Amino acid sequence: MAGILVYALHDDEGNFNKNSLGAISEAAKLSGEIGGDAAALVVGDIADDACASLGNYGAAKVYRAKSVPEGLAQPIVDAMAKVIQDEGISYALFGGGLLGFEIGAGLTARLNAGVTMEVTEVKVQDGKLVSERPILQDSQIADVGYVSEPGIIISRLNAFDTKETGGTAEVIDVEVELSPWSTKATMVQRGEQRGADVNIEDADILVGGGRGLGAAEGFKLAEELAESMGGAVAATRAVVDAGWYPYAAQIGQTGKTVAPKLYLAAGVSGAIQHKVGMQNSENILAINKDPNAPIFEFSDLGVVGDLHKIVPKLTEAIKAKKGG
Amino acid sequence: MKICVLVKEVPDAAVQKRIDPNTMRLDRGGEKNLNPFDTHALEAAMQIKEGGAIPVEEVVAVTMGPGSAVRALHKAVALGADRSVHLSDDALAGSDVCATGYSLAKVLESESPDLVLLGQQSDDGECYTIGAVVADHLRMPSLTQVIKIDVNDGKLRCERQAEYGYDTVEVELPAVISVGDAINEPRYPSLKAIMGAKKKPLDTKATGDVGIDGGMVGEAGSKTAVLALNPPPAKEAGEIIEDEDTNETVEKIVAWLDERKLI
Ligand SMILES: Cc1cc2nc3c(=O)[nH]c(=O)nc-3n(C[C@H](O)[C@H](O)[C@H](O)COP(=O)(O)OP(=O)(O)OC[C@H]3O[C@@H](n4cnc5c(N)ncnc54)[C@H](O)[C@@H]3O)c2cc1C
Ligand SMILES: Cc1cc2nc3c(=O)[nH]c(=O)nc-3n(C[C@H](O)[C@H](O)[C@H](O)COP(=O)(O)OP(=O)(O)OC[C@H]3O[C@@H](n4cnc5c(N)ncnc54)[C@H](O)[C@@H]3O)c2cc1C
């Protein structure tokens, strides 16, 4: 067996996901060390040149399953399992996100294969891949190896940088027979944008609001604070799921990745899936009433206290300072 | 229909979790609790049962774990499950996701559920994957991280957030659904339910009872191996302010921001 297969996720317009492209570049690097090709799997009717362009990120081959729909995991499990078995591929690699977890898990069952997740780095030991997987709230990093092939690697958001090398990939069409249970879930609507279309990616200063704001109305505090500093307001998935704030403002694994000059987190616990979207901020300031909140593990200034007491006074003080 | 809910016993949130360097497994000493995400799965089962859009004859809590895991089942029953099943066998110790998913699918198979509900993640392993592994073994459709379930014409209409926004997906039964914590606010068990929990039927099963191939489970049957444990890269600890006098706290924050030319 040889080679690494990457799932190349795309949106409804056919744009490939940046994390998938990073995973292709990583696969190209790793297959250079363990032998075999870096290949990508694309589902849906994506044009030849778009598929071939994945060669620019290091894919030697692109398997295209035209009849398989994008967006739900199980049909893609059918496609990947077929390619892995037919071509004798050694590893499947997924960029960070959500669908990769479901497809990777499905392959684990289908191929009786080992799986690692939240992987931040992959290294080669004795010609085999070993995943570096942070565990227990990132307090330790486990090196996890595979006792047999294939092995499934689901990486953490932004784990791998894209590397453009030039080149085009060979495009190979594959016919996939879907499993009966793979057609029993159907997409009614994909990628609905809930709430206003706000822009948080260009802001130098972001105030991130979490469940600690208490209610949708609590976001007023975050907005006033952001306004006093000329910044914008961002949010966690918990508050977006609750309908308190727009999805466009969400940071993290299934939201945006940002790196502002200041990220001020108010009532945000600092879950890994949030951290991966903002950990490269230049300065991180967190206000949280729980001294054990994980966010304090990666903030530059941590304030332990009730945000409802602190934030209004902070807004006033900043306004006063700017005015004076 | 019959709903099975997967529940897991995990170290209590207050316990500092650690890996035993000798076994490379989680040290499971100290206070334990029902995985908080699984209480949302139980609540979702109860709401489907009480909602009446589809008749639910039975809600069955299912766990795989050592003897102590019966407490997770008692909690699940106190939260509304009608009975519970405990898969317990020394042969299962040290199972990875591949082996755990296979074992859970086998015990579920013996129950023939119309719907399997589970939490989006466990508080200890945080692997996020068991639902999709179980589903493929059971040959059922599945969806994870679901925050809304409506039952319509014997089908489920589910919503969840994925990479590009919210997806609405229609899923036929039988199915496996993992739920996110935004799906509901779990109820508190009544004192009566807590007292009565130990009287509800509890089946204990060994691997042989549900046809589990011993070669595919436990540490020996697992497909991953922890080779080493390392500390994360050292990071300079941030400054911490305890808010005692809020005016003073605010002064300190403003000074910190000012020093870094952020205001
Ligand atoms: C596959 C997957 C993808 C995910 N994607 C994302 C994502 O893209 N983005 C994301 O953010 N999350 C994501 N999550 C969810 C993530 O795991 C957390 O659940 C979420 O980030 C928690 O949001 P929160 O911090 O607002 O809420 P909580 O975790 O509930 O934290 C609230 C915090 O507020 C504090 N607090 C409460 N009251 C006060 C007060 N008065 N004053 C000060 N502090 C207070 C509490 O101490 C607590 O720490 C994802 C999860 C999964 C499994
Ligand atoms: C720190 C740590 C890291 C680990 N990393 C890996 C790894 O990288 N790869 C790997 O293959 N294994 C790993 N494992 C082992 C893995 O956690 C176990 O196999 C575990 O039983 C399943 O994973 P989970 O609970 O994290 O699953 P998740 O997918 O996070 O759990 C989701 C849901 O599945 C249900 N569930 C999970 N386990 C059970 C159970 N025993 N009984 C009933 N319901 C259950 C619960 O409803 C739970 O909410 C790790 C374990 C630990 C402690």
Side-chain angles (χ1 to χ4, degrees):
Chain A
M1 293 179 97
I4 304 172
L5 183 66
V6 178
Y7 162 58
L9 165 71
H10 60 80
D11 66 13
D12 284 344
E13 271 81 55
N15 304 304
F16 289 111
N17 190 279
K18 188 169 154 276
N19 273 273
S20 296
L21 299 177
I24 292 174
S25 295
E26 180 70 12
K29 188 188 100 192
L30 293 168
S31 55
E33 294 179 51
I34 60 169
D37 285 330
L41 181 115
V42 173
V43 298
D45 197 2
I46 299 292
D48 286 352
D49 53 348
C51 291
S53 76
L54 294 176
N56 185 27
Y57 297 91
K61 290 178 182 155
V62 172
Y63 297 97
R64 175 175 54 190
K66 271 191 191 166
S67 62
V68 174
E70 178 65 296
L72 290 173
Q74 286 165 309
I76 304 170
V77 172
D78 292 333
M80 288 189 78
K82 180 181 162 61
V83 172
I84 289 170
Q85 284 174 318
D86 288 356
E87 307 298 325
I89 285 170
S90 299
Y91 299 94
L93 177 67
F94 297 88
L98 175 67
L99 220 47
F101 275 86
E102 294 181 329
I103 303 167
L107 287 173
T108 296
R110 191 74 62 88
L111 304 173
N112 193 23
V115 61
T116 55
M117 58 294 295
E118 289 286 318
V119 173
T120 48
E121 232 173 286
V122 183
K123 51 194 179 191
V124 178
Q125 279 176 11
D126 304 325
K128 302 213 177 307
L129 298 187
V130 172
S131 297
E132 286 193 11
R133 147 133 165 85
I135 55 171
L136 305 177
Q137 290 292 326
D138 291 2
S139 63
Q140 289 206 289
I141 298 177
D143 283 0
V144 185
Y146 297 89
V147 299
S148 59
E149 292 181 355
I152 317 291
I153 304 165
I154 304 167
S155 59
R156 183 173 278 188
L157 195 79
N158 303 322
F160 310 125
D161 292 330
T162 53
K163 196 169 160 222
E164 298 194 42
T165 50
T168 55
E170 177 192 355
V171 181
I172 303 158
D173 281 310
V174 286
E175 286 304 322
V176 179
E177 197 185 328
L178 297 183
S179 305
W181 61 96
S182 296
T183 56
K184 298 254 160 32
T186 42
M187 187 74 81
V188 177
Q189 184 181 20
R190 184 181 185 210
E192 183 194 344
Q193 303 298 304
R194 293 190 177 164
D197 184 16
V198 294
N199 178 354
I200 59 166
E201 281 152 306
D202 300 328
D204 280 336
I205 292 180
L206 279 176
V207 175
R211 197 133 59 180
L213 289 170
E217 297 71 51
F219 266 89
K220 223 171 157 359
L221 290 181
E223 280 170 348
E224 284 163 0
L225 177 57
E227 201 183 324
S228 76
M229 295 188 285
V233 173
T236 64
R237 186 183 79 169
V239 298
V240 174
D241 275 347
W244 296 0
Y245 219 66
Y247 170 67
Q250 183 184 309
I251 288 176
Q253 183 163 335
T254 44
K256 305 238 158 74
T257 297
V258 295
K261 289 202 171 78
L262 172 67
Y263 186 78
L264 194 161
V268 173
S269 61
I272 308 289
Q273 294 83 5
H274 189 73
K275 175 183 172 182
V276 292
M278 47 63 74
Q279 61 187 349
N280 289 330
S281 304
E282 277 174 46
N283 295 282
I284 299 173
L285 192 167
I287 305 175
N288 194 306
K289 69 175 184 191
D290 174 7
N292 297 317
I295 190 124
F296 291 135
E297 301 289 323
F298 54 94
S299 46
D300 303 296
L301 178 62
V303 181
V304 183
D306 184 349
L307 71 89
H308 295 280
K309 271 167 59 187
I310 299 165
V311 171
K313 285 196 173 176
L314 180 59
T315 305
E316 286 315 310
I318 291 170
K319 274 195 200 156
K321 181 157 178 70
K322 282 199 162 171
Chain B
M1 72 169 176
K2 185 202 269 190
I3 304 178
C4 283
V5 183
L6 290 176
V7 299
K8 186 182 186 188
E9 184 181 55
V10 297
D12 188 79
V15 173
Q16 185 75 44
K17 295 191 265 294
R18 63 178 277 274
I19 301 291
D20 179 336
N22 296 315
T23 60
M24 291 286 195
R25 289 186 204 160
L26 187 69
D27 176 354
R28 295 193 179 272
E31 269 311 294
K32 295 181 195 67
N33 212 334
L34 174 59
N35 180 32
F37 291 93
D38 301 347
T39 63
H40 294 276
L42 283 160
E43 179 65 30
M46 295 312 291
Q47 289 188 9
I48 293 172
K49 184 175 176 181
E50 291 160 1
I54 189 163
V56 176
E57 284 83 46
E58 228 188 354
V59 175
V60 184
V62 177
T63 199
M64 158 178 153
S68 68
V70 291
R71 286 176 305 198
L73 293 175
H74 288 150
K75 283 189 183 141
V77 168
L79 286 166
D82 298 297
R83 61 180 178 89
S84 56
V85 179
H86 184 190
L87 175 63
S88 191
D89 200 317
D90 289 343
L92 296 165
S95 292
D96 67 355
V97 163
C98 184
T100 303
Y102 161 73
S103 307
L104 289 171
K106 279 298 193 189
V107 67
L108 286 166
E109 218 170 73
S110 71
E111 288 286 333
S112 311
D114 300 288
L115 176 62
V116 178
L117 293 171
L118 68 159
Q120 68 174 25
Q121 74 196 74
S122 72
D123 237 14
D124 50 3
E126 295 178 302
C127 293
Y128 316 96
T129 39
I130 289 296
V133 177
V134 164
D136 202 73
H137 282 298
L138 293 177
R139 304 171 156 248
M140 290 183 189
S142 86
L143 203 65
T144 69
Q145 309 282 331
V146 168
I147 59 162
K148 191 161 186 275
I149 303 177
D150 286 321
V151 186
N152 255 321
D153 288 338
K155 289 182 191 161
L156 307 177
R157 186 174 269 250
C158 303
E159 293 179 11
R160 61 97 170 262
Q161 192 191 90
E163 279 91 345
Y164 299 111
Y166 286 87
D167 293 346
T168 304
V169 182
E170 198 170 78
V171 185
E172 287 178 38
L173 294 172
V176 180
I177 305 286
S178 99
V179 304
D181 50 346
I183 194 168
N184 54 39
E185 215 33 78
R187 66 195 68 184
Y188 288 100
S190 69
L191 195 58
K192 190 165 153 256
I194 295 172
M195 302 303 285
K198 288 186 184 152
K199 298 199 194 83
K200 294 271 182 78
L202 189 160
D203 284 327
T204 307
K205 306 216 169 173
T207 48
D209 299 333
V210 291
I212 289 173
D213 174 349
M216 285 176 69
V217 298
E219 194 168 326
S222 286
K223 298 290 174 188
T224 53
V226 180
L227 307 176
L229 278 178
N230 298 303
K235 190 185 170 288
E236 220 174 298
E239 205 179 312
I240 294 282
I241 303 173
E242 305 263 354
D243 178 40
E244 276 150 17
D245 174 335
T246 302
N247 290 327
E248 227 173 82
T249 302
V250 164
E251 247 175 66
K252 285 185 197 158
I253 299 173
V254 171
W256 186 89
L257 292 169
D258 201 26
E259 241 170 67
R260 286 160 185 77
K261 303 200 166 41
L262 295 166
I263 44 175

